[in-house]
Amino acid sequence: DVKVTQSSRYLVKRTGEKVFLECVQDMDHENMFWYRQDPGLGLRLIYFSYDVKMKEKGDIPEGYSVSREKKERFSLILESASTNQTSMYLCASSSGQQDTGELFFGEGSRLTVL
Amino acid sequence: GQNIDQPTEMTATEGAIVQINCTYQTSGFNGLFWYQQHAGEAPTFLSYNVLDGLEEKGRFSSFLSRSKGYSYLLLKELQMKDSASYLCAVLEGNYQLIWGAGTKLIIKP
């Protein structure tokens, strides 16, 4: 069964803390994505990566950075967490070879910044 | 600009049929996706349309009209487990998906 695993389901952090969100996929997918999901808004793309060590900014990259040192792992980093980064963070992956570009999502990481 | 519109919430009765509409205005179009998301869970893929017409997959069907910038998801023989949010998304380029805010579907007995 295909799987995208996010390291933490729930996190509570304080303003100014550094936050790491890890995502691992076991499908040998080329593409990996980080989204945030907020009530009343569509999923918004933070960053994506189409290959190891490659990254592209999405719609809302400010305040975030990413790392992809291995094909299966894509990390999202909040250098200095702020309250407006309280959100649900979703990692996804897709194969560059698939016709549909179907995304496979992780269970999500709900981050609360106090 | 880019815009995906879908109703915020819909209510339907178990056993009935419901149609969830999605209209879009995007600078590019490489296909339209529907995803299902149960509360507290990850979105899961339902359908993909890139050509005009109806795609049927069991109780779920998805329709696309590119000239009208319009799609719908049709759910038949509704079951309580279909209570979820349904997300419409347009693939603008190779990677960039533009997402609607989602339609929360409530199924009543």
Side-chain angles (χ1 to χ4, degrees), chain B residues 79-100:
Chain B
Q79 302 174 10
M80 297 303 292
K81 67 179 183 179
D82 297 329
S83 291
S85 288
Y86 292 86
L87 313 180
C88 172
V90 170
L91 185 62
E92 254 201 336
N94 288 333
Y95 306 105
Q96 185 70 304
L97 273 170
I98 310 300
W99 294 82

Side-chain angles (χ1 to χ4, degrees), chain B residues 18-66:
Chain B
V18 72
Q19 178 175 310
I20 303 174
N21 295 325
C22 172
T23 57
Y24 64 90
Q25 282 181 303
T26 55
S27 54
F29 184 84
N30 277 338
L32 186 143
F33 292 82
W34 284 97
Y35 281 79
Q36 180 190 59
Q37 187 178 24
H38 286 100
E41 297 183 12
T44 54
F45 171 81
L46 287 178
S47 68
Y48 171 74
N49 295 68
V50 67
L51 299 176
D52 289 352
L54 188 68
E55 296 273 346
E56 296 187 75
K57 196 186 289 185
R59 293 188 300 113
F60 291 10
S61 304
S62 57
F63 171 83
L64 175 68
S65 168
R66 288 172 297 171

